[in-house]
Structure formats: C-alpha cells, structure tokens
Amino acid sequence: MMASIAYIDKAKTVGIHQLNERIKECKQRMNYLLDVYLFDQDDLTLNATVLLWPVYINPIFDENDDIIEMAKRKGESELLAKREKLILEIEKQTRRMQEFTEYSDLDRMQQYVTDMRALQKRIQEADEMVAFINKEEGLFEWEQTEYPDLETLKVNIEPYQKLFAFILKWQRTEKRWMDGAFLDLNGESMESEVDEFFRDIYKTLRFFQQKLKKAELEKKKSMQRRQLVDEKVEEEKKDNPTTIMCAAVMEQIKDFKENIPLVTILCNPGIRARHWLQMSDIVGYDLTPDSGTTLRKVLKQNLTPYLEQFETISMGASKEFSLEKAMHSMMEIWDAISFQTSLYRETGVSILSAVDEIQTILDDQIVKTQTMRGSPFIKPFEKPMKEWEDRLIRIQETIDEWLKVQAQWLYLEPIFSSEDIMQQMPEEGRQFQTVDRYWRDIMRYCAKDPKVLAATSLTGLLEKLQNCNELLDKIMKGLNAYLEKKRLFFPRFFFLSNDEMLEILSETKDPLRVQPHLKKCFEGIAKLEFLSNLDIKAMYSTEGEHVELISTISTSEARGAVEKWLIQVEDIMLRSIHDVIARSRLVCFH
C-alpha cells in the first residue's frame, strides 16, 4: 500500500507536469496540421481525448485518495490490534513464567523442560511479531513501540531454563550410572563430572537465594510504613520452591558422591578374574560382575565394610595393570622400528646403517624390563615378561654380532676380492667365501623384511653370526700371520701399515702399485724407473736425482713375490751408490 501511495504522489506532481508539457506540444502540432490536412472523425476524437485527459484524471486521483485513506485506516486499525494482542500475549507468557517459580517436583522434570521449550517458542514468536510491528510502524511513520516486559521475561526465564535443563541432565546421567553396565563405569571421570554437577548446582542455588533476598529487600522498601515480622520473611524464604528443589538436587549429588570410592575400586580396568576371586572369598559369595550387573544392584549388596580390603586388592591390580600396559607398550613400539640398509659399493649387497637409535631403545627397554621384573606385582605375568626380556637380550646380542661381522666383512671383502690374495691365502680364502655366502643370505632376508623383530627372528641367526665371527677371527689371525711372515722376509715392510701392505700384496702382478709406498720403505728413494717389460732400471730421489742401477732387476722372476724383488732393490741400491761414489773419487783424483 505504501508503495502505491508513493507512486500516486509522484504521478500527481512530476508525472502530471511532464504529461501537460507533452500535451502542449501535441496541441501546437495539431493546430498546424488542422490547417493543412483534413482528418477523419476517429482521429479527431482520439486527439480530443488526449487534449482533455488532464480534466478526466483529477477525479480519478480524488477517488484514489479516498481508497488509500480507507486502506490506511484499516491498516492502522489492524496494527493497533496486533499491538494489543502482543501485549496480551506477553502478559500471558509472563504469568506462565511465574508458574515456573512454583515448580518443585523433581519427578516431573521432563515435563518442566517441555513446558519451558514451549514458552521459549512463544517468546521467539513474540520477538518476530515485535520486529514485524516495528516495521509496520516505520511504514506508517509512527514512533516504534518498545516492549520492556518482553525483555524482562527473556531475562527472568533464562535461569529457570538453565536450572531445568541442568537437573534433567543430572537425572539422566545418574540413571545411566546407576542402571548402565557396571564394568563400563570409570571412577575418575565420574568424580570429575559429579564435582562439576555440584559446582553448577551450588552456583545456581546461590543465584536464586540472592535473587530471593533482593526481592525481599525491595518488598520491604515498598512497605516501609508497615510492620512485617522477620519470622514470616524467613518462613517465605525457606518455603521458596526453586531453592528447595536446588537444595534437594545438591543433596542427591552429595549422596551419590559417596558411591564413587566403590566404583573406583571395583571398576578398576586392571582387575582381572583372579582379583574378583580374591574379593569373592572375602565376602563369601561370587562377586564377579556380568553383563546384567549395575551399580544399583551392587549398592544393594552393602559392600562398604569390605571396601578397605577391596581397595588393597584394587591397588595391587592397578600396579599389575600398569606393568602389563608398559610391557605391551614396549612390544608395540617395535612394530614401527626397522633396520635401515644401504647398498655397499658395486657388490649388490646391502649393509646395516644407523643402528644407534635401535641400540638405545634396546638398552632402555632391557633396563626397564629388568626393573619391572623386580617389582612384587609382576608375578601374574612373570613368564611373558621373562620371555620378552630374553628376546630383547637375544636381539641385542644378535645386533652386536651382526655389526661385528659387518665391520670385518667390510674390511676383508676388498682384500679377498683379489685373486692374488686368494692364491697366497687359500685356506683363509675358503673361510671368507663361507662367511660371504652367509652374510649375503642374511642381508637378503633383512632387506626383504627390515622390521627388527622379523629380521632378528630368523632361525639360527645368532648362531650363524657367531660362527661367522669365529671364522673371521681365524681369517684375521691368518692374515696377520701372513703379513708378519712377509715383514720378517723383508723387514722394511714394518714401516708400512697392514692396509698399505695389503694394497701392495693384492696386486702383485702390477709392480707399479709399490711406487706410492717406496718413500716409507726406502728413505732416499722417491720412485723407481721401470722399463716396458716392468724391469727396474734406475731410481730417483725426492730432489729428482737420477741413479742408474748397476744391473736391471727383473720383477717377473719373483713370480708375484714382491718382497723378493724389493730385497734385490735394497741390495743393488747399495751397490749402485757405492759404484757411483767409487767412480766419483776416480774422477776427482784424475
């Protein structure tokens, strides 16, 4: 309607003015055309209608004004009726809210919550109606009406809504605890929830007490000229249904809290059949709970006199349970622990890498396991704990042997890859081939399933590694004896390390491999001059001085025995120097 009014107002002013201007233009054009052109009667009639349109439109505007005025009066009347209806509705709901102050029957709490939700729905509808009325008032350009009683109603109803919802939640929770499966109860969580319930109801009780006290003070002020007996005021305070209901719920919570020690003791997750048997012996009948056991049924058995004995059993069960959990936790850790392997050079064989963390975990768990075995509460599962300790120790021994084999294999593999060494040390060579075959099989199995528990569970793995280490020790002894024999044959080898000697001896077919080590064997010789047939012709000092040998040395005649032609080098070196000195003296004398 308001849009129609705005449109008509615009049409009366702007619209009419624009149309009058256009009609004037049409009239001027028509005066000219009538002089020069003969029109039909229809055209003349149409033209007359246009020229006379302002005369006909004004009555229509007047009629519209009457219609709009009637519609406006009707709208205003309806709006006033809505306002009155809303005020009555608010008064009705306020009276309904006053009824909540008299609610005190705890058994009807579900109905109270339902009533509260119905009232809240009414309040929401009233809020929506206020918004609608204010909008209509704005359209009629009225001052917007405020409804303080509605706001007061919303403020007053909130604490009751929270109270009823809280009590219903407590009742449902208590019923779930009392009539639910007994073994599903948890004493710690129950105690936490009960404490929270108690804090909330205490705050609520304090709120309503303060509210009641404030109302009484206001009532006293309004009746200052009258004499009121204090006893009557106190009696009214005590008889307040809401505070009585809060106090009753608080007492229920206090009474229920006394059951929590029983729940904590008997619903201990560590209690097993053996513990129920012990407690059954104390009371003289079977206490073991089943699927139908509830807290309500247990409380009827009046077990309070036995709680102290039950607590001792429960504490023991807790400690046993913590030990059992710790053992399973240690076992579960190994599900995610694997050996890290990497390929070694061009051998195609994997080797272990980064085992420090595994060894640290092993050491830690072995100490923990041994400590746990010393506990007086380990007896119920002492056997699996001992088996786990033995397994950890075996894994540790296996890894120690494994790393020892790997270290020696890495050292010896390049040595026994040389055909010369294999020919010179045939027995040790055969032993190393045995170790190498075992090692490759072990690492192939490990690479296939690198989890520590799986890799170390290979049947006979520890014994096989120990056998490998025994063979490797024999090989190392044989290798050291072989090197000692070479040093005794050519004492200047004592100036070289084992690795340097092995580098020379592993390539006996190539005498040039001796060149890098000559400085250590012969202080004055930097290098030897070899002929194309690998015979030795001369020697050079560090300063580059060249000395021809008095006779060539054939390395091929030594048949791979490096020490033999090195002895020749030592002998001819001295003789060649003597020869040079002798010839130098002759030159000087002449």
Side-chain angles (χ1 to χ4, degrees):
M1 184 179 69
M2 304 310 295
S4 298
I5 293 173
Y7 174 77
I8 295 299
D9 289 341
K10 184 178 178 181
K12 283 181 177 181
T13 56
V14 179
I16 288 293
H17 176 71
Q18 291 176 347
L19 289 172
N20 280 329
E21 292 297 323
R22 292 177 61 187
I23 289 172
K24 286 181 181 179
E25 293 178 5
C26 290
K27 185 176 181 182
Q28 292 173 358
R29 287 194 294 268
M30 194 63 188
N31 289 334
Y32 169 76
L33 292 173
L34 286 172
D35 293 335
V36 297
Y37 184 76
L38 184 61
F39 288 94
D40 294 336
Q41 184 61 40
D42 292 340
D43 293 335
L44 292 173
T45 302
L46 182 60
N47 185 65
T49 301
V50 172
L51 295 177
L52 295 174
W53 179 84
V55 178
Y56 299 141
I57 195 62
N58 288 326
I60 295 174
F61 279 143
D62 294 338
E63 184 180 354
N64 179 76
D65 290 342
D66 295 338
I67 294 172
I68 290 295
E69 185 63 26
M70 291 175 62
K72 187 176 180 181
R73 288 174 184 172
K74 182 180 178 182
E76 290 174 346
S77 177
E78 290 176 352
L79 181 57
L80 290 171
K82 288 176 182 176
R83 291 202 301 193
E84 291 296 328
K85 184 178 179 182
L86 177 59
I87 292 171
L88 293 174
E89 179 67 20
I90 293 173
E91 291 175 354
K92 178 182 177 181
Q93 300 309 327
T94 300
R95 289 193 298 273
R96 182 75 181 91
M97 196 279 296
Q98 292 299 324
E99 296 177 10
F100 291 151
T101 61
E102 302 300 323
Y103 284 179
S104 60
D105 188 353
L106 292 176
D107 294 334
R108 297 183 60 196
M109 195 52 57
Q110 179 62 61
Q111 182 60 45
Y112 294 167
V113 171
T114 303
D115 294 344
M116 177 61 69
R117 288 173 180 168
L119 179 56
Q120 286 180 313
K121 185 177 180 183
R122 294 288 188 184
I123 292 174
Q124 183 180 356
E125 292 172 353
D127 269 334
E128 294 171 356
M129 181 57 69
V130 168
F132 177 79
I133 289 173
N134 288 158
K135 182 180 178 182
E136 291 286 306
E137 289 172 337
L139 294 175
F140 287 121
E141 298 181 354
W142 290 2
E143 184 179 352
Q144 291 195 349
T145 307
E146 294 182 356
Y147 298 89
D149 290 347
L150 179 60
E151 298 302 320
T152 302
L153 176 60
K154 287 194 286 187
V155 171
N156 290 340
I157 198 177
E158 183 179 0
Y160 290 96
Q161 184 271 329
K162 289 182 178 178
L163 173 63
F164 296 158
F166 168 80
I167 295 176
L168 184 62
K169 180 182 178 182
W170 158 249
Q171 291 175 341
R172 288 175 174 175
T173 304
E174 183 191 29
K175 180 171 178 57
R176 173 167 54 84
W177 286 338
M178 293 293 288
D179 300 322
F182 181 68
L183 292 179
D184 291 342
L185 299 178
N186 183 293
E188 291 183 5
S189 64
M190 282 176 63
E191 185 173 15
S192 175
E193 289 187 57
V194 168
D195 288 342
E196 186 176 353
F197 276 124
F198 187 83
R199 284 193 299 270
D200 290 345
I201 194 63
Y202 178 78
K203 290 178 183 178
T204 304
L205 177 60
R206 291 284 297 166
F207 171 81
F208 281 106
Q209 286 176 339
Q210 290 173 359
K211 183 179 179 182
L212 181 62
K213 186 176 181 181
K214 184 177 178 182
E216 290 169 358
L217 290 174
E218 290 178 354
K219 189 175 181 180
K220 281 183 179 181
K221 289 179 181 179
S222 66
M223 304 175 69
Q224 289 177 352
R225 295 175 183 252
R226 298 182 182 181
Q227 295 296 323
L228 294 177
V229 182
D230 293 339
E231 288 79 11
K232 289 184 179 180
V233 174
E234 289 296 323
E235 183 180 351
E236 183 180 353
K237 180 179 179 181
K238 289 180 181 178
D239 291 340
N240 182 270
T242 305
T243 54
I244 291 173
M245 186 166 58
C246 290
V249 173
M250 184 180 289
E251 286 302 315
Q252 287 182 2
I253 295 174
K254 284 182 180 178
D255 292 343
F256 184 85
K257 192 171 183 179
E258 295 178 359
N259 302 326
I260 292 179
L262 175 68
V263 174
T264 303
I265 292 170
L266 297 184
C267 295
N268 183 346
I271 292 182
R272 299 289 183 266
R274 59 181 179 273
H275 303 116
W276 288 114
L277 185 60
Q278 293 174 14
M279 290 187 283
S280 298
D281 291 340
I282 292 173
V283 298
Y285 57 88
D286 188 12
L287 266 182
T288 307
D290 53 30
S291 58
T293 303
T294 64
L295 177 57
R296 196 182 303 277
K297 292 179 181 178
V298 173
L299 291 175
K300 289 180 180 178
Q301 298 180 43
N302 191 25
L303 300 175
T304 305
Y306 310 105
L307 278 187
E308 188 173 345
Q309 294 171 278
F310 290 171
E311 185 176 10
T312 302
I313 296 172
S314 182
M315 288 176 62
S318 295
K319 293 179 179 178
E320 291 172 8
F321 183 57
S322 65
L323 290 173
E324 188 177 8
K325 279 177 65 179
M327 182 179 71
H328 289 306
S329 177
M330 286 193 293
M331 293 178 178
E332 289 170 2
I333 287 174
W334 289 101
D335 293 338
I337 300 178
S338 301
F339 284 119
Q340 295 183 24
T341 60
S342 57
L343 287 175
Y344 177 66
R345 295 183 181 175
E346 303 299 326
T347 60
V349 181
S350 297
I351 59 172
L352 297 181
S353 59
V355 294
D356 293 344
E357 184 178 353
I358 295 174
Q359 290 178 311
T360 302
I361 295 173
L362 270 174
D363 293 339
D364 181 56
Q365 289 203 3
I366 289 173
V367 172
K368 282 184 179 178
T369 305
Q370 291 172 343
T371 304
M372 289 163 63
R373 286 193 62 214
S375 170
F377 301 97
I378 197 66
K379 189 174 181 181
F381 37 90
E382 185 174 11
K383 183 179 178 182
M385 183 64 79
K386 180 64 171 66
E387 291 174 352
W388 177 246
E389 181 190 8
D390 293 342
R391 185 171 186 184
L392 290 176
I393 292 173
R394 185 175 179 85
I395 291 173
Q396 188 180 54
E397 292 174 352
T398 300
I399 293 177
D400 290 342
E401 294 289 335
W402 202 328
L403 294 176
K404 188 177 176 183
V405 171
Q406 177 169 290
Q408 295 197 73
W409 182 85
L410 291 174
Y411 177 71
L412 294 173
E413 193 276 334
I415 296 171
F416 285 96
S417 295
S418 168
E419 294 182 4
D420 292 340
I421 295 294
M422 293 293 286
Q423 290 176 358
Q424 297 172 60
M425 303 177 64
E427 179 61 27
E428 287 78 4
R430 283 192 296 273
Q431 291 175 340
F432 182 77
Q433 286 177 340
T434 301
V435 172
D436 185 67
R437 186 171 61 255
Y438 285 165
W439 175 253
R440 290 174 184 269
D441 290 343
I442 291 169
M443 291 312 301
R444 192 179 300 112
Y445 180 82
C446 177
K448 185 178 179 181
D449 189 355
K451 290 189 180 298
V452 173
L453 293 184
T456 54
S457 63
L458 180 63
T459 305
L461 176 61
L462 177 59
E463 292 73 18
K464 190 177 290 187
L465 290 169
Q466 289 172 339
N467 184 33
C468 287
N469 274 317
E470 291 175 3
L471 290 175
L472 288 168
D473 288 341
K474 291 180 182 179
I475 294 170
M476 288 301 297
K477 287 180 182 178
L479 182 62
N480 290 330
Y482 169 72
L483 295 177
E484 186 68 18
K485 179 180 176 182
K486 294 291 184 180
R487 287 188 173 108
L488 292 174
F489 191 88
F490 181 59
R492 288 179 182 265
F493 273 157
F494 280 106
F495 296 135
L496 301 179
S497 66
N498 286 355
D499 292 341
E500 290 170 332
M501 280 191 65
L502 288 168
E503 184 180 347
I504 294 171
L505 297 173
S506 63
E507 295 291 344
T508 56
K509 295 178 182 179
D510 184 7
L512 297 175
R513 295 294 291 270
V514 179
Q515 290 275 41
H517 309 292
L518 282 173
K519 289 182 183 180
K520 290 188 176 181
C521 293
F522 302 96
E523 186 176 358
I525 299 178
K527 65 178 181 177
L528 298 172
E529 181 180 348
F530 287 86
L531 298 175
S532 58
N533 62 353
L534 296 179
D535 287 349
I536 303 171
K537 175 185 177 185
M539 55 186 176
Y540 290 88
S541 68
T542 305
E543 296 77 17
E545 183 181 3
H546 175 266
V547 176
E548 291 281 342
L549 299 180
I550 59 174
S551 63
T552 59
I553 300 172
S554 175
T555 58
S556 59
E557 290 180 359
R559 298 182 182 277
V562 180
E563 66 277 10
K564 289 184 179 180
W565 60 262
L566 283 174
I567 288 177
Q568 288 182 282
V569 170
E570 182 181 22
D571 178 52
I572 295 178
M573 171 191 71
L574 296 173
R575 289 165 54 194
S576 297
I577 295 298
H578 289 163
D579 181 67
V580 170
I581 294 171
R583 285 189 284 113
S584 298
R585 291 176 63 188
L586 289 175
V587 172
C588 289
F589 290 149
H590 289 87

